[in-house]
Each structure stands twice: as C-alpha cells, then as structure tokens.
Amino acid sequence: MIKKVGGFLLFALIAVGCSAKTEGVAGLSGKVSFNEGWRFAKGREPAAVQIDFDDKSWRQLNLPHDWAIEGPFSKKYSARNGGLPVFGNAWYRKSFVLPEESAGKRVLVTFDGVMANSAVYVNGALVGERPFGYIGFQYDITDHLVAPGKRNVIAVSVAPENYAARWYPGAGIYRNTWIELKNPVHIEQWATKVTTPEITQEQAKVQVSTEVVNHAADQTLTLQVEVQDHNGHIVAEDSQGFRSAAGEHSATQAELTIPNPRRWDTSDPYRYRVVTRVLDGEKVIDTDVQPLGVRTIEYKADDGFWLNGRRVQIQGVCLHHDNGPLGAVANSRAIERKLEIMQDMGVNSVRTAHNPPSPELVELADRMGILLQVEAFDTWRIPKHTVVNGYHKHFPEWSERDLTDMVKIHRNNPSVIMWSIGNEIYEQKKADGWKEAKRLADIVRKADPTRLVTAGLSDYPNFVKSGIADELDIVGLNYKATEYADIAERYKGKPVLGTETSSVVSTRGEYHFPVEPLEKHPSKYVSSYDNYAPYWAYIPDIEWANLAENPEIMGEYIWTGFDYLGEPTPYGGRDHGNKFYWNQDWPARSSSFGAVDLVGLPKDRFYLYQSQWTSKPMVHVLPHWNWQGKVGDVIPVIAYTNAEEVELFVNGESKGKKVKGIHKVRMPVDLRYRKEVEYFDSPYRLQWDVAYAPGNIEVVAYRGGEEVARKQVFTAGVPAQIKLTTDRTEISADGYDLAYVTAEVLDKDGHLVPDADNLIHFTVDGTAAEIAAVGNGDSATTEPFVADYRRAFNGKAVVIIRSKKSSAGLVQVGAYSKALQVAPISIEVVANP
C-alpha cells in the first residue's frame, strides 16, 4: 500500500507592536502574532468579560504562558502532575485597536492551544468555547468588534481541572496566538489539502483542493495555484475560474505537475511551497501558503516502513509536550533543541504522546527530517482509573471535531507518516470496542485518506477479542516485544509497530550497588546501570532482540526520549492504580523514563541507544570513577559502542578487549508475560568487573583492528571551578529565542566532580537578555524553575537565557558559587532583519 503525501505549515511571523499600555495593533498585515500585551490573573472573575472591567492591577505578560510552572512545588498537589498547581481558574485579557484598513474586513483570532476548558469573549460577548487543551482553534470575531480606531477587549477564561491528566499538562494559554484580517471572500482555515497522488523520478503530480467562504455577494472569481521551489521560483502553476455564492463555501481543486521533483527525506528534508490565491479580476483578495514535501511512504506487512523506495527502520521516541523548566510553553527553540538532541541519539521519528502537538514541533520535524506519528487521545469514553476529570467527559461531544481538526491542521506536513487515535484506551477490554475504533479511524480517513491509522494497544489478548486491532491499518503495540511473532501471525497482511517500548528508568549520574534491579532506592533515584524497568516493561535489549528476530516489524518508539514533568515512576504510585495522589515518595515529582534528563543532559542510556541507532564511531563508559571507601571492591564497568570491539584500560593497564555480540552481558529481567525468563544474555553491552582503585578508566573502540573512538573518565578531586558552556553563542532579539548554558563543577585539573551539589547563582550582565529558568535534571527536588540559582545535581546544572524583544547587544552569563572559580561566557543577541 503506497501513500504519497506532502506538506509543511508555513507562516509569515510579524510581531504585533503593542504592549499592556499601548493597545493599538499598528501595521496589521496578514496573519501576525497576537502574543504581546496581555494581562493575567488567577481566580474566578465573571465581570472580566466586560470591556470596562478594571484590570490595571493584573500582571502584564506576553504569551505563550504556563502559570503552573511558576509553582511553587507543594505536597498538596499530586506528584503525578509534577507537584505543581495545574488546576484552577484564571483570566487573560488584552486590549487592542484595529487600524482603519480593517474596515470591511473579517477579523480572525487563532489559538494554537489553551489548557484547558477555554471560553473566549470579545467586548463582553462569548464567541466560543473549547475544552480540549491540546487542539488549535480559530474564531471569526468580526461581528463583536467596535469601529476601527476604537478600543476592543478580548478576554479568555481558562479552567483546567485537577486530576485531568496522568502527567504534567501545564495551565493557561501555553501556545501561540494569532490575529489576521481577511477579505469577506477568503480561503477557509485549514481547508487547503495538498496531495501528490503520483510520483516518479521524472514528475510529481500535485492535487490542491480548498474551500472559499463568501461573506459578500455572488461573484465569479479565479483560483490561482502555483508550486514554488525552496528559493521561491515557480515550478508549476494552474489557474481556473469558479462561481462563489453569497453565504456559501465553494470547493475548488487544481492539478499541477512538478518536473524532476526533489524528494523530501530524513537526510534531505527539501520542501516546496504551494501558494493558492483567490483573485477578483486582477486583484488578489486572499492568499494561502501550504507546504509540499514530495515523498512516497509505504507500509509493508512483511517488510516494515519504506520511504522513497527504501526500507527505513523506525528509531523513535515518545515525547510529552512539556519543555522541562519552561513547562508546557511552546517555545520553538526549546522544541528544536529537544529534537536536535534526539537526532544526535539516532532518532528518526517521534510519537507525540499522547495528544496533538504544537504547530512548532511539526514545522521543525518537517525542516529537520524527522518522521512523526501524531496522536490524538489518551482516553476515549472510558476514563482511566486516576483521571477523574479527563477528556472522557468531553469525548462524546468533541471527539469528531477535535480529531478532524488535528488531521486538517497537520495533514500537509511531510513529516507526518501516520495518525494514532488513542493510547492504551480502556475500550480494549470491551466486546464492542471495535465500534469506537472504527468510528475514529473513519473520521481520520475522511480527513486524510493518504496515511494509515494506528493506536497504542497494550491489553493483549483483549484487544484481539474486542476487535479493535481489526479496525486499525497498523497494529500498534505497547510493551509486547515478546509477542511480536504471535501478533504478526494473527494479523497477516497488516504492518505491526512497537508504538511504546522499553520504559527503563534511570537517573543521570546515579549508580547503585549491588548492580541488580531495584524497584525503589532510599535516594529516590534510579541507578544508571540501565537494568530496571517497571513491571509492565523491559530493558531495551529485549526489544532489540525481538526486533532482530521479527524483521517485518516497522520499528519502535521508546518511552521516552526526554524525562518529563510528573509521573515519577517508580516513585510515588502505580501508573493505572486507583490512587491519584502520588506523594508518598515526595519530593520525587518527575519521570525517570528519559534517555535524556529534564534539562537535556544525556544519561548513560542515551549512549546505549546511540550505539544501536548511529553509525558514526562512538564509545561510552560507565560509571564515574569516584568511589570513596570502595578501594578493592569490584565495580562493574560497562561500555556501549557501535564499533566491533572495545579495550578497557584502568590506570593505563589493559583489562583486555571484548567483542560486541560475542562477549555478552547477563542481564536479570522480569517479563510480565514470560515469567520463565529470568536472565537475558545481552549482545548489546560489554562488561568488565574491576577492582576499584582511584585514577582513571579509559575505553578504546576498534573497527577492523583500527582505533575509531575513545573515552576516559577520571577520579576527580574536590570542587575548584565552574565551567560554563552554551549551546548557542548567538540568539535572536525576538523575545523568545533561547540559549542553554550548562554549568559543570570541576576539580583543579578540569575533571567533572560527579557528586558535586554546589549551590550556583547565575547572572546576566547586559540588557538584551534575561534568565528564563534553571534546572539540573534532579527528579526529586522542590527547588523552583523560575529562579536565578540552582544546586548542581551530580556535577551539573543548566540556566536558560532568553532574549528580550528588540534589544540587541552582547550579554555575559556568569555564575557564582562559594570558593569556586568561574569565567563568564558571552552571548550575542542579534536584531531581527
């Protein structure tokens, strides 16, 4: 089954020049940001809908905004939600004045997502409500506005509920907002659909369909469509007339042919643009720009996923939507950095677990060549035990609208290769569960017949009995590696995919002895020997072995790429147990599932995946080599590599070479469905048992007998200095761009002190940037994220620097910690062109 699709969502981003005091929307042209100049207050305030309501005492801020991340952490909140105030009532208000040229226009406002249960009012009138916090929506507010040049007020009521999610959802208008002027006749929002039904080396046929809405009189118009290459040159065009009736939607379609198309691919994410114009005579009255990624995707039941005629193994991660210390705020640079780190690990695909993503993530995936599984819901009609106020309450009324909108918003993005209609939904156990699966799958297929539909199924064999898997195009399996052969046999003719795998937990820099799986450690951290998974899960080695034995499986999405806020497994509670309040292991308040910690610092497991998913020579060694009081004790030393063999040196003395796949490491495992399996001899790791002596350990990797990589770890002395490094030395002066500065506590010789916990105060010298947040990857601390200080956690901490709007210049980021030397670093904040 071959599916050919394309697209990316492209916006011209023009900042609105207004503040809390300046209410004008000067120079409004096209679709522009509506993020600036809002006022915010928590609490119930029904009068806030009125235009003359006095909000002068309210806080001034710019969107996007997540009030919950500001804390404070408290044991009165559930650690399942990060121990943060993710529920309550709040209001956002913004005054704005439209320019004279808005007369006779339609005025539209778009919210990319509001968490949650939003109600939007304009000048006192309710214009719409939306309960689902993850879905974007648009309102035509024209009929509620006063004359151009006069003051309008938009007010947004937000009411996220307690016990509404199994993780940290955030709270407030946490995604971007937009405003635009349209002529009375214009292209409907998200109505343009771009497909490529035929692709060869010589040409690509492109079909473009859209809808034009008419708020004026009957008229004859022209639809003009052109495909532009990356440089804006026209490579195909079409033009045709159509009749537009007053008060109606007119469906239009164009067909074009691109000669010698350049393919969108993971290694070359090349994009065209489809520009659709509506003309009244010679006058352009509306323009819509959509993406086009020319590529073929194919799903083979017997040979996995194929992209542009070659098999591509899905090396994927599940990602929640939060950005660590920034909370749920949809910051483009934070998301980009997250994806960059994942690509460095070897990731080629992301599952947007377990809800629709921000437009920024999908646009970045397009640009970076990352494949996406876009997921809709974590529950259907039946609630999960602990989610009292979840989406199930809104599902009967809103599921068709939300699912349709999700698909329409992202269906032109070439990065999107499949849709998921649910995750571990409880209808798996119902005899008629197939009916809901069929309804949802049909909704998706109606909005986008070019991609396949899956879901994350976990309850085997109940999902077989309920018939849910029969209604899916791709059988998605959560934690069923040992059942791949059986399920593939049951569903011959359907592709099978590991939609959620592994779920190993670990804490960066923590190593516990003896080296054996331990559900809970008194430290409230999990050992980074990567050998423990909760009862439903298993170590990565089990997944890889079963994928190797079942090459028809498309690949996997590990749980998870990054740590995320909330759900602090194995501490605090049980995932689907009947106890929502997860605070018995307080202050554990963040997950430990990630291969990368909450601030983007790799754990050892990052390198384990890198050893399987990348080809550039690498080698990694663990643990650290500071073991006071353990001289002479045996310390297991582990190496991860994609080379053929590794040699270990301890204080310069060779401990011998070991060959990957030959010298296996015995791993204790406890598989939920295969209790007879007690040990697994892993071909993916190498191990030496070494009597500890201070000094250093070094691993050297070889291919064909030649050295290709090495890594060395030293026994560090006492903390003497802090080293600052930044991921970027130049950021944009747009008020949103970020630089992540890592502080490492080193000894006098420059070696990382692996257990350092020094308190570090951060400073910014200069007016062009500020501290946005701090963090250190510690999953069990109540230190605030919105602060200018942080303790090092296992030797490291991170400060996030944010540019200020229209304020260019050089800033210096410094740090202070008692008795430690530190040299500041410089970041250039560059004015926007």
Side-chain angles (χ1 to χ4, degrees):
M1 193 173 180
I2 299 178
K3 309 293 179 184
K4 309 177 182 80
V5 291
F8 70 93
L9 198 60
L10 181 67
F11 295 136
L13 306 183
I14 307 172
V16 177
C18 64
S19 68
K21 295 182 179 179
T22 305
E23 299 168 349
V25 187
L28 181 60
S29 175
K31 183 172 184 174
V32 299
S33 173
F34 204 47
N35 284 344
E36 295 186 31
W38 290 78
R39 290 182 181 268
F40 166 77
K42 293 185 70 174
R44 299 177 185 272
E45 188 56 76
V49 304
Q50 302 302 324
I51 192 170
D52 58 354
F53 177 81
D54 185 0
D55 60 11
K56 290 186 177 63
S57 64
W58 286 17
R59 176 179 170 188
Q60 300 180 29
L61 53 76
N62 296 332
L63 303 178
H65 171 243
D66 173 9
W67 84 61
I69 200 63
E70 300 169 11
F73 290 104
S74 174
K75 200 172 182 180
K76 69 181 179 181
Y77 308 125
S78 176
R80 176 180 270 280
N81 295 143
L84 289 164
V86 297
F87 59 92
N89 296 86
W91 284 88
Y92 295 84
R93 281 172 51 93
K94 176 183 173 76
S95 297
F96 63 101
V97 176
L98 291 171
E100 294 299 327
E101 57 264 32
S102 68
K105 304 283 188 180
R106 308 301 297 184
V107 181
L108 309 173
V109 292
T110 301
F111 294 81
D112 287 342
V114 179
M115 191 64 69
N117 300 308
S118 66
V120 177
Y121 301 82
V122 174
N123 294 332
L126 176 66
V127 296
E129 298 175 287
R130 202 73 181 228
F132 196 31
Y134 295 94
I135 202 72
F137 54 91
Q138 183 183 84
Y139 297 133
D140 184 333
I141 63 172
T142 310
D143 297 338
H144 305 289
L145 298 171
V146 297
K150 295 186 177 180
R151 176 175 175 262
N152 296 278
V153 173
I154 184 169
V156 182
S157 169
V158 184
E161 297 177 286
N162 201 9
Y163 308 147
R166 297 185 297 120
W167 51 84
Y168 175 81
I173 308 180
Y174 72 110
R175 291 182 179 171
N176 288 304
T177 59
W178 313 91
I179 187 169
E180 60 186 315
L181 301 182
K182 291 278 192 179
N183 283 307
V185 179
H186 58 264
I187 297 169
E188 182 77 340
Q189 181 201 34
W190 303 326
T192 302
K193 180 168 63 174
V194 181
T195 60
T196 49
E198 183 179 326
I199 299 174
T200 66
Q201 291 298 110
E202 293 75 28
Q203 64 179 26
K205 291 189 177 180
V206 181
Q207 289 184 349
V208 181
S209 62
T210 192
E211 293 183 12
V212 175
V213 60
N214 189 337
H215 291 280
D218 295 355
Q219 51 195 297
T220 299
L221 303 169
T222 300
L223 181 75
Q224 183 186 84
V225 182
E226 61 189 33
V227 178
Q228 300 176 0
D229 66 14
H230 188 70
N231 297 315
H233 301 136
I234 298 173
V235 297
E237 55 187 333
D238 185 32
S239 183
Q240 56 186 271
F242 68 98
R243 184 69 177 167
S244 177
E248 300 289 337
H249 285 69
S250 303
T252 64
Q253 185 166 307
E255 294 190 1
L256 308 91
T257 300
I258 302 173
N260 305 312
R262 181 172 169 181
R263 303 287 184 102
W264 183 96
D265 208 303
T266 53
S267 59
D268 181 22
Y270 184 86
R271 297 176 295 178
Y272 296 89
R273 296 191 306 167
V274 175
V275 181
T276 303
R277 301 184 183 93
V278 178
L279 287 80
D280 183 1
E282 297 295 321
K283 181 182 178 182
V284 176
I285 59 175
D286 198 17
T287 302
D288 179 71
V289 180
Q290 289 294 323
L292 173 56
V294 177
R295 87 286 193 272
T296 61
I297 54 178
E298 186 175 3
Y299 315 82
K300 297 185 179 183
D302 60 350
D303 199 18
F305 174 72
W306 285 60
L307 175 66
N308 293 325
R310 77 182 195 286
R311 191 188 190 285
V312 175
Q313 182 78 355
I314 300 296
Q315 298 174 175
V317 294
C318 300
L319 291 178
H320 271 316
H321 69 298
D322 77 75
N323 288 308
L326 296 175
V329 167
N331 180 282
S332 184
R333 173 54 196 164
I335 299 169
E336 180 183 45
R337 174 179 177 263
K338 183 186 293 186
L339 296 179
E340 288 172 346
I341 292 169
M342 291 293 90
Q343 283 187 315
D344 190 39
M345 192 172 81
V347 169
N348 62 13
S349 191
V350 167
R351 175 191 182 208
T352 67
H354 297 296
N355 294 106
S358 67
E360 288 76 19
L361 183 141
V362 183
E363 158 64 16
L364 284 163
D366 276 1
R367 179 164 61 81
M368 299 170 71
I370 296 173
L371 308 170
L372 292 180
Q373 177 192 137
V374 173
E375 190 155 74
F377 309 124
D378 189 48
T379 57
W380 292 351
R381 296 179 189 272
I382 304 174
K384 289 172 178 170
H385 294 315
T386 56
V387 187
V388 179
N389 292 313
Y391 186 70
H392 63 278
K393 297 199 306 182
H394 309 291
F395 184 87
E397 178 182 357
W398 284 96
S399 58
E400 181 172 2
R401 173 73 179 276
D402 288 337
L403 186 57
T404 300
D405 284 352
M406 180 191 82
V407 175
K408 284 185 173 182
I409 291 169
H410 303 301
R411 64 186 171 186
N412 292 334
N413 294 86
S415 58
V416 179
I417 59 170
M418 68 184 78
W419 308 104
S420 172
I421 56 175
N423 171 67
E424 298 181 356
I425 40 83
Y426 277 12
E427 280 80 355
Q428 292 175 93
K429 298 181 180 181
K430 296 295 182 179
D432 62 349
W434 67 271
K435 294 180 180 179
E436 199 65 70
K438 182 180 188 305
R439 183 182 76 88
L440 296 173
D442 285 346
I443 290 170
V444 173
R445 294 170 187 135
K446 179 180 178 182
D448 175 27
T450 70
R451 298 175 179 85
L452 299 191
V453 180
T454 190
L457 302 178
S458 57
D459 197 346
Y460 182 68
N462 281 327
F463 66 70
V464 177
K465 298 175 183 177
S466 67
I468 282 182
D470 294 319
E471 303 303 325
L472 303 175
D473 303 316
I474 300 170
V475 181
L477 302 173
N478 289 10
Y479 311 107
K480 297 296 175 287
T482 58
E483 316 301 323
Y484 282 158
D486 180 56
I487 293 171
E489 179 66 23
R490 284 180 181 270
Y491 294 98
K492 279 187 174 179
K494 285 192 176 188
V496 178
L497 170 67
T499 40
E500 194 169 313
T501 66
S502 188
S503 265
V504 162
V505 285
S506 62
T507 305
R508 177 183 56 79
E510 291 287 322
Y511 306 96
H512 301 157
F513 301 101
V515 180
E516 60 185 30
L518 182 66
E519 182 171 356
K520 289 188 178 184
H521 190 271
S523 67
K524 297 184 175 61
Y525 303 123
V526 190
S527 176
S528 199
Y529 272 105
D530 297 323
N531 62 359
Y532 176 70
Y535 70 96
W536 69 85
Y538 44 79
I539 57 176
D541 315 57
I542 298 294
E543 180 71 26
W544 294 330
N546 282 276
L547 286 173
E549 292 174 6
N550 299 276
E552 72 276 17
I553 307 301
M554 293 169 62
E556 65 167 322
Y557 291 93
I558 73 168
W559 191 263
T560 53
F562 265 64
D563 279 349
Y564 55 92
L565 288 163
E567 205 172 35
T569 309
Y571 300 98
R574 178 171 168 172
D575 189 49
H576 291 320
N578 58 7
K579 188 175 184 180
F580 189 92
Y581 191 72
W582 272 31
N583 293 19
Q584 58 262 42
D585 294 310
W586 187 263
R589 47 78 176 140
S590 293
S591 85
S592 301
F593 292 113
V596 174
D597 75 14
L598 200 64
V599 291
L601 300 175
K603 303 179 187 178
D604 293 296
R605 193 157 19 104
F606 172 96
Y607 301 100
L608 178 58
Y609 280 99
Q610 194 179 65
S611 73
Q612 291 304 115
W613 287 356
T614 68
S615 58
K616 182 180 178 181
M618 59 76 59
V619 67
H620 178 71
V621 64
L622 64 118
H624 62 70
W625 211 236
N626 273 52
W627 298 110
Q628 187 175 2
K630 288 187 176 292
V631 173
D633 289 359
V634 173
I635 303 291
V637 175
I638 308 292
Y640 303 147
T641 187
N642 56 16
E644 296 167 357
E645 58 183 351
V646 175
E647 186 173 12
L648 173 68
F649 295 87
V650 178
N651 294 328
E653 178 185 348
S654 176
K655 297 299 180 180
K657 292 182 178 180
K658 296 203 172 185
V659 180
K660 187 177 180 180
I662 301 298
H663 295 97
K664 299 180 180 180
V665 177
R666 174 150 287 197
M667 304 288 294
V669 296
D670 184 13
L671 297 178
R672 184 180 184 184
Y673 297 103
R674 297 288 180 88
K675 290 295 185 181
E676 71 274 12
V677 179
E678 296 181 354
Y679 292 94
F680 176 73
D681 292 321
S682 174
Y684 309 107
R685 314 182 191 210
L686 297 171
Q687 178 174 326
W688 295 259
D689 291 328
V690 176
Y692 175 69
N696 67 81
I697 55 175
E698 185 174 25
V699 284
V700 181
Y702 303 91
R703 285 181 181 172
E706 299 291 327
E707 178 186 331
V708 293
R710 67 170 58 212
K711 195 164 191 176
Q712 193 170 20
V713 176
F714 293 87
T715 302
V718 299
Q721 57 182 313
I722 294 175
K723 180 182 178 182
L724 299 178
T725 57
T726 179
D727 66 330
R728 304 166 81 208
T729 58
E730 184 179 292
I731 61 176
S732 174
D734 59 6
Y736 298 96
D737 206 2
L738 305 173
Y740 284 74
V741 177
T742 300
E744 296 177 288
V745 180
L746 310 178
D747 68 7
K748 63 181 179 59
D749 296 316
H751 304 315
L752 178 71
V753 182
D755 58 353
D757 63 353
N758 303 71
L759 179 63
I760 304 171
H761 291 267
F762 296 100
T763 61
V764 176
D765 185 10
T767 60
E770 61 189 351
I771 294 173
V774 293
N776 59 13
D778 186 346
S779 59
T781 178
T782 58
E783 285 187 305
F785 292 126
V786 182
D788 61 1
Y789 63 90
R790 197 68 164 186
R791 286 194 175 274
F793 178 65
N794 290 330
K796 298 180 181 181
V798 170
V799 59
I800 305 172
I801 304 300
R802 180 176 55 218
S803 68
K804 291 184 180 178
K805 177 81 171 181
S806 303
S807 181
L810 189 70
V811 300
Q812 283 197 326
V813 179
Y816 169 77
S817 187
K818 188 177 181 180
L820 301 186
Q821 295 182 341
V822 60
I825 59 171
S826 297
I827 297 173
E828 183 76 24
V829 182
V830 181
N832 295 320

